[in-house]
């Protein structure tokens, strides 16, 4: 029995790259939080402190900022692909790279009914995300791309039921046919080169479309449980986009408890709620094609080593 | 020389009151964070633990939730006035009340181009705020109302200069005639019953109008410093609304540092920036009428005892 | 009636200054978060964008870092006094300065029962704070020093009662003679040159002493309300230190709700609680000497303009 | 090709369970944040909204609170094992359970040199963690236990080097033989029933021992890179505890940048630093036995579905 080095990676997390496009008097802005992680045989660094195969995390940072200009940021998926491929293709000891990006959306400020050319207001709603993984050199190289969003806070004030559930001796919950349902949605969809190559996919267009479908289905399905709602949301996304192989949800059930006003002689017909912080339900589900290509390391986050 | 009880207050902070209006099939939502603080002669509670004059913070909470139905939430200013007056008018030992409210904005989800009747998406942009102070009983009673917003994140990618500043031996900063200027604006405007009574003011309309003016001025003024920009923003608000006596700003200068790409042979003509977290500049300013009525305790936050 | 510039100030917030003392092989560390704010006649900057009287916030930052070496950090109060006096004394347009500092405590790591000379573990408990205000030039100059702490989380599992309180129609709370009482204490004590000059006060020693008194009184007083406990804590501090003129508390009542296990046939004799996040009670009180010298702007935080 | 339900789970996250032991006048406290997640065939809930196999998340919450009394909390590992086994053994549709727990440490307040019996001060340093996974019924049942800690903030002010690293065209970093090294350590160690059964392991004792080893090695190793330091820390833990099969680290390199004071004529011999927030290096590594038993789902967090 020996003690050995297991899975490992290293990188620079949370580079706050802001890219302004100013090719005309109308500027555009992309506001990113970029994390890089490199994988390969870095055992010498761990075992004997030999850094000769280690590209510093500071260098990864410099590259992330420089690529925002050199390659541009047409979308976070495209920019992430450039970065990941660069590390794997151009740095000899690097055998795999993981790039994770968050994007904060801004809109042009509206002044006298018109969009101002160089003033922006941060939207503050959901955060767009992407995770790009590239593994292997040359012809062996494999690539996985995940798009996503997080913190999309949505609520329906009716159209949600929960009843007929399993009971045991610790079950106190009362069934309901009308409740508030709210979540801060995390969704991540994995692309596959099925009927489309990376180069053919319009990443920004897909993002807008998926978000629209998620909101539409959340709104229009009579919910019998958050699980069922999520499944329908995911199914609709997969039906729309043949090159999305699977979608994963993590959805906190943000409880809105009906406030008891009866002792004050005040009727409360689903009108006044307490929005509770913790605990919260947490529902996670995957909707996928049964012939989805292998996910490989696509779902392994940069901050976790499964 | 004796040791005595000085200024004191107590209340229930951060009641997360959510009010759904469902008078028709089209619902509306108001999502509030309500804090109450009561002032008066509570020395017996402090000195000998006698609670007979102390209305529990739990009771304040119950009242906040019940009033959301009993009085409704047409605006946070109106709802806060109801709560504050109730505590002072109806609870004998209470001589003053401070109500502070944050409101998180939601919009109806858009489904197939139409607003869905009972599904909402949280906007996540700025938070609307109000601070209501009521002091004194009966004819002596005085009331102060402050409206506001916080975390309005705005940025201009050009149209901002900073030069000609004072220098000492610790000054390294280079002057610039073109920089990114960004802030997460906090603005609070104090109403006065000047040419309008509380009942005549349309709180929601004023909110929308002030926000529009702030953004417009931020966008259109060629900035020589954040100070000058804030002053012009405040001045425009006061010029528009005769019943606003003063406006206060707290504006972090969220630094966007131009990233040096020169060593990589990459030109960076104000295109790639690092958005830094800390430290940040912090500019605070008041714009007021020279005949503004006395602010009394209006600006003393619930969580501070000046 | 004219629109004018009201109270204003500007500075650099949250400079993360870390000072290592390495005069011997045994190092020491002071880990600070320093905010500066300058006051004076800066109307030209606001009204016409003229920066000639404005010392940049970047310069304030440089000074904060340099003074950590030039003047050292024997205590945050002493270091803050150096900084505040420098800005007022040495920068012509500056008429007042406010320095606010947080300090994060570290201890030497213990290795084989001995303190390691240059390895430290951050304690993570309460944060030490100081607020220094200097106003006026030369003989007119006045100085206020406030020491403090925040986020000292303390709890007693018995020895706390709450009953005999005022009731109205919204009162549902049941009286109790045995509850958990917990708070995340904020305390700030204002020094006065009463029987001691600034130079004679051992700031670090006072800090340790005040903290010890606060914890001791919280522990040993049979509490009839958080108000009474706070008052006794403050009184004890003032009795011990003649040069402390007043002490202010802001104490959230962090509710621990007894969990109802009765339906499961499980007895819960004050043994299992739910620690709730929001809302929370918020008790604020001042204990002071009746001959305390004028507080002037001492209590006006850098991020608020009363 | 069909669309199907993939991996899924659901539970109640962040139950804030506080357990007071009051068997004598000397009380003890365990302050927990408990998350549960159940796995099994819940396809009916997702596909047709049938909840008959779904034990509500509210029931999971009730159980977590009740078990804190029924089973006690001798350690978070033991309590988590009780909860996980209960869900799998006693709830028919549940085939797997994941329990994740954070524990916040408190110490008895010291009053006049003695530990007070029922007053506690929260330590605020690192958070202790545990992740328990149980899968399968009856004789097939498998169990994985992970202990851990997070947010252990440690720093060494010398004894850290970084040089000899790989360079490319984006490399600007200068090598150093003396730098500050700091991290907020996350460590998780997986137990295996190798030479010890679950029942024989003293979970609390192991926790104290691992933490001591981690700090000792961090302090005493001359660091050539964070990677090498982590490896040595992990190796020492595995050498000490035969029943620990592997240990994983996630270690942000919290950069402390030497502040340039040269232009002010002030020498800075590794004495004044700026503690930067973002970006930060992020080093992750696993140290394991080459014969470690299969990790199965042990490393799959409750909030991620690999």
């Amino acid at each position: 029995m020996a003690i050995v080095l297991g899975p490992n990676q290293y990188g620079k997390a949370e580079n706050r790259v802001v890219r302004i496009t100013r090719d005309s008097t109308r500027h555009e802005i992309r506001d990113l939080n970029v994390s890089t992680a490199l994988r390969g045989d870095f055992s010498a660094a761990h075992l004997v402190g030999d850094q000769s195969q280690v590209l510093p995390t500071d260098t990864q940072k410099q590259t992330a900022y420089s690529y925002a200009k050199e390659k541009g940021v047409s979308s976070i998926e495209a920019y992430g692909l450039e970065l990941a491929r660069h590390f794997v293709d151009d740095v000899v000891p690097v055998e795999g790279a993981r790039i994770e990006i968050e994007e904060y959306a801004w809109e042009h400020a509206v002044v006298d009914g018109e969009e101002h050319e160089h003033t922006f207001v941060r939207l503050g709603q959901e955060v767009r995300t992407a995770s790009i993984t590239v593994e292997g050199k040359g012809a062996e190289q494999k690539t996985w791309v995940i798009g996503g969003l997080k913190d999309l806070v949505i609520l329906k004030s009716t159209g949600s039921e929960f009843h007929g559930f399993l009971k045991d001796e610790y079950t106190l919950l009362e069934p309901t046919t009308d409740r508030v349902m709210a979540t801060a949605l995390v969704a991540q969809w994995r692309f596959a080169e099925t009927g489309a190559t990376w180069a053919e996919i319009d990443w920004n267009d897909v993002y807008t479309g998926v978000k629209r479908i998620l909101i539409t289905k959340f709104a229009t399905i009579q919910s019998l449980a958050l699980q069922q709602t999520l499944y329908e949301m995911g199914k609709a996304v997969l039906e729309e986009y043949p090159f999305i192989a699977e979608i994963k949800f993590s959805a906190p059930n943000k409880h809105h408890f009906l406030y008891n006003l009866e002792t004050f002689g005040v009727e409360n017909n689903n009108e006044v709620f307490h929005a509770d912080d913790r605990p919260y339900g947490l529902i996670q589900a995957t909707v996928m094609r049964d012939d989805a290509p292998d996910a490989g390391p696509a779902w392994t986050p940069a901050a976790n080593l499964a």
Side-chain angles (χ1 to χ4, degrees), chain A:
Chain A
M1 182 221 73
I3 293 172
V4 297
L5 179 66
N8 62 89
Q9 62 187 355
Y10 76 104
K12 192 68 106 187
E14 304 209 33
N15 296 283
R16 291 284 289 109
V17 178
V18 175
R19 174 69 162 96
I20 309 286
T21 310
R22 38 196 299 157
D23 301 333
S24 72
T25 56
R26 181 181 165 94
H27 295 187
E28 302 296 342
I29 184 171
R30 304 218 73 142
D31 184 3
L32 311 183
N33 192 11
V34 181
S35 296
T36 63
L38 304 185
R39 299 161 187 163
D41 179 4
F42 302 117
S43 50
H46 291 84
L47 302 185
V48 296
D50 172 358
Q51 314 305 324
S52 61
Q53 303 300 300
V54 173
L55 190 73
T57 66
D58 187 81
T59 302
Q60 299 176 42
K61 174 180 77 168
Q62 306 292 352
T63 311
Y65 283 89
S66 195
Y67 264 46
K69 176 68 191 296
E70 291 184 58
K71 307 295 180 180
V73 186
S74 65
S75 70
I76 53 175
E77 288 90 348
Y79 165 75
L81 277 165
E82 293 280 1
L83 265 182
R85 285 171 179 155
H86 160 68
F87 289 124
V88 177
D89 291 347
D90 302 343
V91 184
V92 173
V94 174
E95 291 158 17
R98 169 87 172 186
I99 312 293
E100 293 185 353
I101 308 175
E102 299 182 339
E103 180 176 13
Y104 314 112
W106 297 73
E107 64 183 3
H108 283 265
V110 174
V111 173
D112 296 337
E114 308 242 320
E115 292 193 346
H116 194 270
E117 289 196 315
H118 60 258
T119 303
F120 304 87
V121 182
R122 186 161 153 172
L123 286 177
Q125 202 170 81
E126 95 279 359
V127 173
R128 179 174 171 180
T129 61
S131 305
I132 291 90
T133 308
V134 170
E135 290 211 340
K137 307 269 189 184
E140 303 289 293
Q141 193 167 85
K142 287 190 179 171
T143 303
W144 293 267
V145 179
I146 292 173
L149 56 79
K150 66 177 190 179
D151 298 336
L152 179 66
V153 184
I154 44 181
L155 175 151
K156 53 199 303 183
S157 51
T158 188
S160 170
E161 315 176 18
F162 191 65
H163 47 76
F165 42 77
L166 186 65
K167 291 178 187 169
D168 71 4
E169 69 268 35
Y170 294 103
T171 303
L172 301 178
L173 189 72
E174 294 294 327
T176 176
T177 57
D178 191 1
R179 62 170 184 173
V180 166
M181 186 166 75
T183 191
L185 189 68
V186 180
Q188 290 181 286
W189 45 92
R190 179 162 67 91
F191 292 93
E193 288 181 293
T194 309
T197 62
W198 293 153
E200 290 167 335
I201 297 174
D202 182 332
W203 308 105
N204 296 329
D205 190 63
V206 172
Y207 181 80
T208 307
V210 172
K211 182 182 165 188
R212 182 180 40 74
I213 292 170
L214 296 178
I215 290 173
T216 298
K217 288 293 171 183
F218 181 86
T220 55
I221 295 161
Q222 176 72 14
S223 178
L224 299 174
L226 190 43
Q227 279 92 330
Q228 171 229 23
T229 300
L230 293 175
Y231 184 77
E232 293 297 327
M233 291 160 69
K235 187 157 147 281
V237 169
L238 267 58
E239 285 170 348
E240 180 76 15
Y241 295 104
F243 46 74
I244 294 184
E246 61 174 329
I247 182 167
K248 285 180 183 289
F249 297 106
S250 183
N253 193 339
K254 293 171 75 81
H255 302 307
H256 286 67
F257 293 116
L258 191 65
Y259 209 87
N260 184 359
L261 304 175
E262 211 175 311
T263 38
F264 316 137
V266 176
E267 195 187 35
N268 185 6
N269 177 30
N270 277 351
E271 292 167 296
V272 179
F273 297 85
H274 168 63
D276 208 33
D277 294 301
R278 294 190 295 182
Y280 49 90
L282 184 57
I283 314 300
Q284 296 171 84
T286 310
V287 186
M288 60 195 306
R289 301 183 192 281
D290 60 3
D291 64 349
D294 183 36
W299 295 109
T300 305
N304 189 58
L305 293 168

